[in-house]
Amino acid sequence: MTQARIPFFQLAPANLQAMIALSGSVKKSSLGSRLVELINLRVSQINGCGVCVDMHWRDLIKQGAEPRHLNALAGWREAPFFSALERAALNWAEAVNALPQRQPSDDDFGQLTEHFTDNEIAELSYAIAVIRAWNVINASLHNQIPEVPAPGF
């Protein structure tokens, strides 16, 4: 285990507040908190961001998600626990998160349009972008999973 490189959450307060505001707006979008948190958890798993995996897993548990379902998220394609809409969103999240090594295909986008409006696709894309940004910051600066989560997290 490593130590945090800098006291990130105490620095650049304007930037931090802007990221928090974007995260908050995504959670209030028409997608619903559960879907946003599933996306947050899956993208964080892929990007190896322990802080975010811990935070979003705990949030989904608070929302009543079954631990077994969340444990199967990394293998969602084989798991029976996810709806067609969730599968389309998870597929899109993985495709977008793979940029620049892989471009989302027309098939990826087509699956998305079967379940989401253009506005919802934009909201989903913001959700993916903001969690990816948090993952980059937390992983690169070695922000640690707190043994006792801060109130509200």
Side-chain angles (χ1 to χ4, degrees), residues 31 92 112 116-128:
L31 299 172
W92 185 248
L112 199 62
F116 295 95
T117 66
D118 288 353
N119 191 69
E120 290 167 333
I121 292 169
E123 290 175 335
L124 181 60
S125 297
Y126 276 111
I128 297 162

Side-chain angles (χ1 to χ4, degrees), residues 3-150:
Q3 291 189 15
R5 290 184 162 151
I6 59 174
F8 170 73
F9 293 105
Q10 299 168 14
L11 304 169
N15 302 89
L16 177 62
Q17 290 307 311
M19 287 279 290
I20 290 169
L22 180 55
S23 294
S25 72
V26 164
K27 284 187 178 188
K28 293 176 184 171
S29 73
S30 65
L31 299 172
S33 181
R34 177 174 160 50
L35 182 60
V36 169
E37 289 302 331
L38 278 175
I39 296 306
N40 288 345
L41 180 55
R42 182 63 189 128
V43 172
S44 298
Q45 288 173 335
I46 293 166
N47 293 333
C49 181
V51 172
C52 293
V53 167
D54 177 65
M55 179 188 311
H56 300 295
W57 183 88
R58 284 184 291 107
D59 192 43
L60 282 158
I61 292 296
K62 285 180 193 173
Q63 291 183 39
E66 291 289 328
R68 183 173 177 230
H69 298 186
L70 299 182
N71 289 338
L73 184 59
W76 63 266
R77 286 176 180 83
E78 291 80 32
F81 311 122
F82 305 101
S83 70
L85 181 139
E86 290 169 336
R87 290 173 184 283
L90 289 164
N91 184 67
W92 185 248
E94 289 185 3
V96 170
N97 191 57
L99 287 165
Q101 290 80 17
R102 174 186 178 273
Q103 294 288 323
S105 69
D106 290 340
D107 185 52
D108 294 327
F109 189 74
Q111 290 176 37
L112 199 62
T113 61
E114 291 177 24
H115 301 281
F116 295 95
T117 66
D118 288 353
N119 191 69
E120 290 167 333
I121 292 169
E123 290 175 335
L124 181 60
S125 297
Y126 276 111
I128 297 162
V130 74
I131 192 56
R132 187 173 177 176
W134 282 118
N135 294 164
V136 166
I137 291 167
N138 283 311
S140 66
L141 297 178
H142 296 179
N143 290 328
Q144 301 296 298
I145 299 171
E147 285 192 39
V148 177

